[in-house]
Amino acid sequence: MEIDEVAARVFRSYWAVLLVMTVLPVTLVALLMAGQEPPSVAESRLQASGEATDAGSGDASASIVVSKVKAFATSDTLLRDVLRRQGVDRSARKVAKAVEVSGLGTSTVVELSVKDTDPVVARKLADAIGAEVVREINESNQSAIRQRMDEIDERSRELVEKLGPLAREAGGPAPDIAAANERERVQSELADLRSNRSDLLTQLTSAGTASVVQPAVLAPESDPIIMMSAIAGLVGLVGGILIAVVAEMLRPTIPGQRRVARRLDVPLLGWADKGPSQLADLGRRVRLAAKKEDVGRVALVGAPGPLSAELVSSVASAVYGDETRPAPARPGQPRAGASAQERPDDPGRSGPGRSEQVHGKPGESHADGNAPSLNSGGTGGAKSTSVVRAGGGGAAVIAKKPAEVSPTEVTQPVPVRRVCHVHAFEDIDPGADDTVGVVVVVGRVTTVSGLETVRDLVAASGWPLLGVVATSGKAPSRTGTTGSRRSAKAR
């Protein structure tokens, strides 16, 4: 299945669902946020780390710094202490949700923002939280080193106190060998401690200290309605697409009339509701298709369901042709061009190609050049002449003035052409021996189940499938009774 067909199946069949699922969330979000005042945002910037390794290690280090700052800034203990010192009546949990931390590129400078309905409170909280975060970071980075340095200083003082007595004992008039050895050991340990302290001091210097780069300032006011509405519309559209996909899985369809014709491997004969020119072209193509398959009857089948009488009549009129106008019939005489179902009481009908004549007042001559026949009748022995055309099951008869009849017209025979009956499928007699050509009428979207019913009909009847007739919208369904549909015949 092609991508364009998948998109067409979703959007053509379920465009109303997608429209509702997109517009409804946007409208609801806009209405809910219309009366709400957007919160104020206070932003401050912190130098979270001064280590050269952190500054030069790229995105990974920056992400670690941001995570560290956010962990301190959203700490419940820190927030409770800040709220107590600032005298702000806010919930620590809600303030934690209002705190945002974002990185600035790959640097160790981060941006700390706090949202609150009161701009003054937002600035106070941003400054206080930033200062506490800086203190916590400095303590976490330097506390271990300073503690180790304090331990070294304390041990060095103890060794210095021992070193004096040992030096006196080892350098007296009677040198003490044990004291001399102990003095050497103490001096060596003291040298090691001094070296370790020097290394720790270097680490403390290179570690740097966190600091506040920019105090809290209020961010420019922004209206979140547009952004939230766009997000709501996108989420609704995704939900509508999911609904359409599920519905399409349960009830698959075929979008477009030409795709239906390709599925059935038949031509698209034309359009039934795009004006007289398209309708006339449709009639010619149906006649050609019927001639190709050598059928005398055409059954219009909806996919799915029966068709409306108006649609069947318009297609039948197009197949019949609009250049002939039937003359008024005498009382008791069937109208010209009527089908067999419309003339059940015609005792003189001898076949579908039988000519008919109308006696009455003379009329205008036939416009298409078909040869007329001269018939006598009427009251008082008067003669009148009528033009007879072989048509669908009968003859279209138009009166002609006696003065306009030439001797050639009197003697020329009337050509009899093969007729083509156009019916709705529901009006077809299944017991008839005639071969019927099937024409499928489809709308903008056709269900696969409806297409399968057409295939089953063709397989069960053995009738040839002539083609597909397209309508712009959904194929009109039948609204009247069976007797309200008219059959039509065409050359």
Side-chain angles (χ1 to χ4, degrees):
M1 185 179 297
E2 300 176 356
I3 298 297
D4 61 338
E5 182 174 350
V6 175
R9 289 174 63 178
V10 173
F11 288 99
R12 286 190 185 183
S13 302
Y14 304 96
W15 63 269
V17 176
L18 299 180
L19 182 62
V20 171
M21 292 295 294
T22 303
V23 173
L24 186 60
V26 171
T27 305
L28 291 178
V29 169
L31 292 177
L32 289 176
M33 299 187 66
Q36 298 180 3
E37 184 178 355
S40 300
V41 181
E43 299 174 345
S44 65
R45 294 187 178 184
L46 311 177
Q47 174 68 48
S49 177
E51 296 184 13
T53 54
D54 290 344
S57 55
D59 294 337
S61 178
S63 177
I64 293 173
V65 171
V66 170
S67 300
K68 181 191 295 186
V69 173
K70 189 168 185 178
F72 284 119
T74 56
S75 172
D76 187 74
T77 304
L78 184 146
L79 292 177
R80 288 180 184 276
D81 187 53
V82 167
L83 292 173
R84 180 178 55 80
R85 291 180 182 179
Q86 298 296 325
V88 177
D89 186 16
R90 297 288 189 277
S91 171
R93 182 169 298 179
K94 291 184 178 180
V95 173
K97 293 180 180 180
V99 173
E100 294 291 338
V101 179
S102 59
L104 300 175
T106 58
S107 67
T108 57
V109 179
V110 298
E111 187 173 73
L112 174 69
S113 62
V114 179
K115 294 181 181 180
D116 195 87
T117 55
D118 189 348
V120 177
V121 173
R123 290 187 60 182
K124 290 173 62 176
L125 291 179
D127 284 331
I129 292 174
E132 286 297 316
V133 168
V134 167
R135 184 182 65 81
E136 292 287 343
I137 291 176
N138 289 333
E139 287 185 1
S140 65
N141 289 340
Q142 301 176 5
S143 61
I145 297 176
R146 291 184 180 279
Q147 183 179 358
R148 179 59 181 161
M149 290 177 65
D150 292 340
E151 293 175 357
I152 289 175
D153 291 340
E154 184 178 357
R155 180 61 178 168
S156 296
R157 285 192 296 269
E158 293 176 358
L159 293 177
V160 169
E161 292 175 357
K162 286 184 180 181
L163 187 61
L166 290 175
R168 288 192 295 270
E169 292 178 2
D176 188 352
I177 302 299
N181 292 335
E182 182 66 18
R183 185 187 63 179
E184 293 294 333
R185 187 190 67 78
V186 170
Q187 289 178 344
S188 176
E189 184 179 355
L190 186 60
D192 292 339
L193 290 175
R194 289 172 178 172
S195 177
N196 290 339
R197 191 179 188 282
S198 178
D199 294 339
L200 291 174
L201 184 61
T202 303
Q203 292 180 14
L204 184 62
T205 304
S206 62
T209 58
S211 60
V212 177
V213 178
Q214 172 187 296
V217 294
L218 292 176
E221 293 184 359
S222 60
D223 191 359
I225 295 179
I226 297 177
M227 184 183 66
M228 295 302 296
S229 299
I231 295 175
L234 182 60
V235 173
L237 178 61
V238 172
I241 292 176
L242 293 178
I243 293 174
V245 169
V246 173
E248 189 65 24
M249 292 173 60
L250 299 177
R251 181 178 173 270
T253 59
I254 303 173
Q257 298 86 346
R258 192 166 295 279
R259 287 190 178 91
V260 175
R262 286 203 300 264
R263 287 285 187 95
L264 295 175
D265 196 20
V266 292
L268 181 63
L269 298 177
W271 296 80
D273 54 357
K274 284 194 173 182
S277 60
Q278 292 284 343
L279 198 59
D281 184 65
L282 170 63
R284 287 189 293 268
R285 295 190 181 191
V286 171
R287 290 197 297 269
L288 288 174
K291 181 180 178 182
K292 177 184 176 182
E293 297 294 338
D294 194 24
V295 296
R297 290 178 180 271
V298 173
L300 299 181
V301 179
L307 303 171
S308 66
E310 292 77 10
L311 178 62
V312 177
S313 298
S314 63
V315 174
S317 299
V319 174
Y320 182 80
D322 58 355
E323 70 276 5
T324 302
R325 296 293 182 267
R330 294 185 306 171
Q333 181 181 8
R335 67 177 180 83
S339 64
Q341 287 85 348
E342 294 176 52
R343 294 183 286 133
D345 56 347
D346 187 359
R349 185 173 183 270
S350 58
R354 183 182 66 88
S355 301
E356 296 181 4
Q357 58 185 3
V358 174
H359 301 275
K361 295 182 179 180
E364 295 181 358
S365 61
H366 200 299
D368 65 352
N370 283 340
S373 62
L374 187 60
N375 302 277
S376 60
T379 59
K383 291 186 178 181
S384 65
T385 304
S386 301
V387 176
V388 184
R389 286 188 60 191
V397 184
I398 301 178
K400 191 171 184 181
K401 294 180 180 180
E404 299 178 0
V405 179
S406 64
T408 304
E409 292 176 335
V410 174
T411 58
Q412 184 176 359
V414 177
V416 179
R417 299 179 183 179
R418 182 171 182 178
V419 295
C420 179
H421 304 260
V422 177
H423 303 277
F425 171 70
E426 292 76 16
D427 296 336
I428 293 292
D429 183 9
D433 296 333
D434 295 342
T435 303
V436 180
V438 178
V439 173
V440 186
V441 181
V442 297
R444 183 170 48 86
V445 177
T446 306
T447 61
V448 174
S449 59
L451 205 62
E452 291 301 324
T453 58
V454 175
R455 286 176 174 165
D456 294 340
L457 169 63
V458 172
S461 62
W463 295 341
L465 189 58
L466 303 183
V468 173
V469 173
T471 58
S472 299
K474 184 179 179 182
S477 61
R478 190 177 195 177
T479 56
T481 60
T482 304
S484 66
R485 189 187 307 276
R486 295 188 306 167
S487 302
K489 305 171 185 180
R491 285 178 296 172

